[in-house]
Each structure stands twice: as structure tokens, then as C-alpha cells.
Amino acid sequence: MKRLLVTTALALIAAMPAFAQEITVGAANVAPYLDPGRDHSNVGSQFYYNTFDVLIERDYDKLEVEWKPGLATEWSIIEPTVMELKLRDDVVFHNGDRMTADDVVFSLNRMYQASFPPYQVRARDRLENFDRAEKVDDFTIRIHAKREEPLWETLINLQQVMIIPEKYTKALSGDPEVAEDSDFEAFSLAPVGTGPYRVAEFVPGERLVYERFDGFWGEKAPLERATVRRIPETASRVTALRTGEADIITNVAPDQLAMLEADPSVKVVGAPTALFHVMIMNQNHERMKDARLRQALSLAVDRNALNEGLWLGKAVVPASHTMEEFGEFHMPELNTFEYNPERAKELLAEAGYNGEEIVYDCQSTYYTNGMLAAQAIVEMWGAVGVNGRVNVIEEWTGGKPEMMVRCWSNPMYFADPFGSFGVMWAPQGPSESEGRFNTDEEYAGIWERFRYSSDTGARKQAYGELMERIEQDAPFLPLYRPYESWAMRTNVNWAPKPGHIPYVLDFRAGSIDFASN
């Protein structure tokens, strides 16, 4: 018996570090607010999965889509435009409130019937087909679409429809019986979800602290505490890792990899990210209205040279706006974008270009290698006769009429062409609503076939037609899928999962563990 007790005690002691671990993450950026409904930024996408849940989950260990229960245990289409979902009855929010259908309906309708302007933007660019959610009983809801929806599970799995508590949110300001804009603003600074970690501290743009939530309905979180600190400079993040100030660092540029890989105290993981760094062009700027000029600016960019020079050849240069994560809608046969400097010169002459300055806006540290790419692109323009200049600016200028060209990114928000190209370039989507992109009746008709057809072949045909329009009208150029790397102490076992959207810091059970000493 004594031997058995000693063995049991040793086993318990051995298991304890896994649940007493604390880590610090050195991140290139920390979000200015935390609200999964309003956010669709690369920075914000990192932070929601630990704290919030969706109704329908997927297996993120796989590139192929496989749905599984989340806060909903089962779901079915009961009419062509109606889905019914059964909810878990053992879920509590981080503030102690029990989750019921009321919270779920509130969370969904804050997006489907949005009145808060930031929610209206997200609803318009990805959720416009959803009319409302309704309560059937305390643990059953129905979601009503306006028309038959080919992407039911995909769009219920979105970050933007993660579940938040109704009573807590409404009570944050003003009338506790009414959801006011000020409530949602307050929620973004004091978020509450149902996930395995609660937000214990949040300093916008600087620091986020997660603590394990023992009331979580699923498998217990492996970390007791995780702190994410903003360290904007790559060299400073690398130093923090090597000195032990950080256990994981994000957004490691390729030119740092050899040094880190030679350090026995750290290790590196990386992969091409499901996201394009893009060069966007303002079709409505007086100097940029001629499509031939925009085509020339695109054709002048040697993206393979950018890949070799900035990413050591590790990035992926696309022939079209497509990626393998789209599954059956991956269309590598399309040839939408190419490098052809001689054709660029011809188009410049046809457009009557006469040396007018073309300004390329770019933020200094937001995108890994973003500034270096901008500088190289302007040099490539110069080689075909374009007078270009890089304008270093830290604010978003994509909606300003004076913007000509700028750096941007186009992530995969969900695994479908609609979830990447479509979110940004749909009729009335963000690019058109901000005034830099134009669609017409023909484009809208093609989009309609692509978005709502239930036939795979019809959707692919329409997507090819959309790419033809993009080639001719040239509103953007995907530069590459960047090869993003994360570095960590050798005792930390973590890597981004293939099924997640870009940059997610997933610290749930099964996603992070620690090597034994």
C-alpha cells in the first residue's frame, strides 16, 4: 500500500507542471479591442479562439473541413432556409452566467440584424444572407436564411458569430434591458465568453492576459496563465525569446531564421500562411482611373524576385487568387497575374503616362517584410518608367480618396473563395464601400452565380469569370502567401494548426504542451 501511495503521489507531481504552466508571447501587434463580432483583422484574429466558442466547430488539425459539435450538439436543415440547432445545457460564461438560447439568439442577431455600425460592416461582407435567429426553447434555436444557403456550417463557424452573454453585455452601459452601441463598445474592452480561458487583463494595443477558466464545459485548458505582450520590432522579439522574457514569439522574418535555428535553446516552426499580402490600387483616384496604368503597375512587379529576396523562396507566389485551403474550389489552372515588364511599358505608353508620381502607402512594421516589399516594388516600377514613391504611414488609408496604391493583406476568413476574395471584393463589400473599387451589373450577376449556386461546377465557372474581370480591371495584385514563422523555447511544443484561419494563437487542450525536463 505504501509503495502504491508513493507511486501515485509521484505521478500526480509529474502531472502538475502541465497545469501550472505560464507562458509569455511576444507578438508583433496586440489588438486595440477584443470583440469577435466587429473584428476581421490579422492582429485581432490571433486572440479570440482561446476565449470564445462557436456553435459548430471543425477539426483544426486537418486541412480538409470536418465539422464537429461546438456549443451546439447537433444541427439539421428542417426547411430549405431554416437550420435548427440543439445547444449544450452545461455551458457557463466567464462571469458565471449560464448560457441559454437567449444568449445564442442575442449573439447571432447582433450580427444578422446589426444596428451597431461595425457589426453592420461585418454582416454586409459575409452574413447578408441571414435574416434572424429565434428561440424554440431554452436549448434549441433556429436560424433563418433569406435564400437557400450553400455554406451553412461554414458561416455558422465564423469568428464573427462567436457567442457572448446577453445580460452582461446589455448591463455594461445605459439601459440594462436594451443593447446599445455603448454596450458593444464597452464589451470590446471587457470581453466575456465561454472558452477555456478568460481575459484577466487587457491593455489595448499593448498586453492581453489569459487565465484558465475552470468552469469551461470542455477539456481543461493546459495553461494556468498566458500573457501576450506587444513587441513590434522583430529584433526585440528575438532578443526577448533568447533572454527568456518570452516563451513564444510571432512573425519571425526569414532573415532571422538561420540565427534562431543555430541556437540550441530555441526552435522555429513556420509555413506559408493562408493569406495574401497584396498591393491594392484605387480605381477612383484621378491619376489611377485608366485600367491600363493599373495593369502596368501590376505587370511590372516581379513577385518571384520578391519571394527570393524577402522570403528566401519560402513564400508561395500565386497565378490567381486561389489557395489549396479552398479544397474543391482550389483553381491553380487560372492565370490571372503575371510578370511582364515589356507589356507594362506598352500599356504605360497606351495610357499616355507621362511621369506623374504614383504614391505607395505602407505601414512600417504591421506586415512582415511589408516595407521592404514596398521599396522593392517602387524600384521595379522605376525599371519600366514609373515615377513611384513610398509613403510611410501608420494609419489605414484604404478608404481615403487620395490613396493611390498601398500595402494590404487578404486573409482566408473561411475555407472557400468567398471567405478570402469574396469578403473583400464582393459587390458592396469593403473595397467598394470604401470607394477604391467599382462593380457593375455584369460583375454582380457573375458574383450571384458564384455565391449562391449549389453546383460546384457552376461556382467554379463563375469564379473563373470573376478572375477575368479582375485581370482586366486590375484593382489589386496578390504578391505572395508569406512564409510566417513562430519561434519558441525548446521546451514548448506548439505550432499553428492547418485548419485555423491565419495567426490564431490556439492554447486549448491538445494544442500546446511542454517537454519534460
Side-chain angles (χ1 to χ4, degrees):
M1 176 63 74
K2 181 177 180 180
R3 182 176 179 180
L4 176 61
L5 290 172
V6 170
T7 302
T8 302
L10 289 173
L12 288 171
I13 291 170
M16 284 177 62
F19 286 107
Q21 285 283 2
E22 297 187 11
I23 64 166
T24 297
V25 179
N29 293 284
V30 172
Y33 57 81
L34 293 177
D35 180 346
R38 69 189 288 184
D39 202 345
H40 81 157
S41 67
N42 301 341
V43 172
S45 297
Q46 300 175 94
F47 303 122
Y48 297 109
Y49 188 64
N50 292 318
T51 296
F52 298 93
D53 292 309
V54 289
L55 295 170
I56 301 176
E57 269 288 11
R58 62 171 287 188
D59 185 344
Y60 298 106
D61 289 316
K62 300 176 181 178
L63 191 62
E64 303 77 20
V65 175
E66 182 179 312
W67 303 117
K68 64 180 187 178
L71 294 177
T73 57
E74 57 184 276
W75 56 93
S76 60
I77 305 297
I78 62 171
E79 296 178 23
T81 59
V82 182
M83 176 182 277
E84 184 171 280
L85 301 96
K86 300 291 186 181
L87 307 176
R88 296 183 184 276
D89 62 4
D90 59 347
V91 178
V92 294
F93 289 100
H94 300 149
N95 68 335
D97 290 350
R98 187 187 188 198
M99 187 198 80
T100 70
D102 292 318
D103 300 290
V104 175
V105 168
F106 168 76
S107 299
L108 297 178
N109 284 341
R110 87 190 197 278
M111 304 304 301
Y112 298 161
Q113 301 176 337
S115 58
F116 183 43
Y119 292 169
Q120 290 176 331
V121 175
R122 301 285 73 82
R124 185 171 62 245
D125 64 34
R126 66 202 74 187
L127 296 168
E128 67 173 357
N129 190 36
F130 292 96
D131 181 62
R132 70 191 189 281
E134 66 174 351
K135 175 181 176 180
V136 177
D137 58 44
D138 280 350
F139 296 100
T140 307
I141 69 151
R142 289 178 182 168
I143 297 174
H144 294 259
K146 299 172 185 174
R147 55 192 296 185
E148 291 189 43
E149 175 55 66
L151 298 171
W152 271 110
E153 287 89 352
T154 297
L155 297 176
I156 294 172
N157 175 257
L158 292 184
Q159 167 196 298
Q160 284 71 30
V161 286
M162 287 174 161
I163 304 305
I164 67 173
E166 180 181 19
K167 290 181 180 178
Y168 168 84
T169 304
K170 287 181 175 178
L172 286 171
S173 71
D175 185 343
E177 300 300 318
V178 178
E180 299 165 295
D181 289 358
S182 55
D183 292 324
F184 296 125
E185 291 287 3
F187 182 87
S188 74
L189 301 178
V192 168
T194 61
Y197 297 93
R198 71 179 188 91
V199 173
E201 181 184 358
F202 176 50
V203 181
E206 295 296 329
R207 185 171 66 257
L208 167 63
V209 179
Y210 298 109
E211 285 185 353
R212 186 171 64 232
F213 176 53
D214 291 330
F216 178 54
W217 57 269
E219 189 174 353
K220 189 174 184 179
L223 303 177
E224 181 178 311
R225 187 179 178 92
T227 300
V228 184
R229 288 177 46 217
R230 179 175 183 261
I231 307 177
E233 298 295 336
T234 301
S236 299
R237 291 198 298 280
V238 169
T239 298
L241 179 67
R242 299 183 77 180
T243 60
E245 291 179 64
D247 302 289
I248 300 175
I249 59 172
T250 72
N251 303 91
V252 179
D255 62 0
Q256 302 288 321
L257 294 179
M259 175 185 66
L260 287 170
E261 289 166 349
D263 186 336
S265 69
V266 303
K267 61 185 179 184
V268 179
V269 298
T273 307
L275 162 150
F276 293 121
H277 284 184
V278 296
M279 177 182 84
I280 59 173
M281 295 173 278
N282 185 355
Q283 295 180 334
N284 295 314
H285 189 285
E286 191 61 37
R287 203 170 290 174
M288 302 288 294
K289 284 184 176 180
D290 195 317
R292 294 170 296 185
L293 171 61
R294 300 193 305 274
Q295 289 173 355
L297 295 178
S298 177
L299 290 166
V301 179
D302 187 345
R303 297 174 298 150
N304 287 318
L306 291 177
N307 183 17
E308 293 299 326
L310 300 179
W311 301 96
L312 309 181
K314 294 176 179 288
V316 175
V317 176
S320 187
H321 196 297
T322 191
M323 56 184 77
E324 60 181 338
E325 286 83 354
F326 294 170
E328 61 184 344
F329 294 101
H330 179 215
M331 299 174 68
E333 68 274 14
L334 298 178
N335 188 31
T336 310
F337 309 104
E338 62 178 344
Y339 171 55
N340 190 334
E342 294 308 312
R343 179 59 180 153
K345 292 176 184 177
E346 293 173 1
L347 288 167
L348 289 171
E350 292 175 16
Y353 176 72
N354 197 31
E356 296 87 353
E357 185 178 64
I358 306 297
V359 179
Y360 193 122
D361 292 349
C362 197
Q363 292 153 287
S364 58
T365 62
Y366 189 88
Y367 301 107
T368 307
N369 282 335
M371 182 54 61
L372 293 174
Q375 292 166 343
I377 287 169
V378 167
E379 288 187 15
M380 292 171 182
W381 287 350
V384 300
V386 173
N387 175 22
R389 174 174 65 87
V390 175
N391 179 38
V392 183
I393 188 164
E394 299 309 318
E395 65 183 74
W396 170 244
T397 57
K400 294 188 174 183
E402 62 268 26
M403 186 275 288
M404 297 184 191
V405 185
R406 72 159 286 134
C407 61
W408 201 30
S409 69
N410 188 175
M412 183 192 75
Y413 296 106
F414 49 93
D416 186 272
F418 173 36
S420 183
F421 169 81
V423 167
M424 296 297 191
W425 304 98
Q428 303 304 312
S431 296
E432 185 164 31
S433 64
E434 288 197 312
R436 62 179 176 273
F437 175 60
N438 307 312
T439 65
D440 56 23
E441 187 175 343
E442 180 190 28
Y443 187 99
I446 301 170
W447 170 262
E448 180 83 1
R449 287 188 282 116
F450 160 70
R451 170 66 179 90
Y452 288 106
S453 176
S454 59
D455 178 74
T456 298
R459 288 194 74 209
K460 293 179 75 170
Q461 171 67 31
Y463 192 61
E465 293 175 32
L466 288 171
M467 289 300 101
E468 290 175 8
R469 286 290 304 264
I470 293 299
E471 180 181 5
Q472 294 304 312
D473 215 14
F476 67 90
L477 172 67
L479 300 176
Y480 37 66
R481 289 180 57 170
Y483 187 91
E484 292 283 12
S485 297
W486 293 257
M488 63 205 75
R489 308 295 296 175
T490 52
N491 68 316
V492 179
N493 296 319
W494 182 86
K497 291 189 172 184
H500 272 306
I501 61 175
Y503 302 115
V504 171
L505 291 172
D506 177 359
F507 298 143
R508 292 188 179 223
S511 298
I512 186 169
D513 59 45
F514 302 88
S516 57
N517 294 328

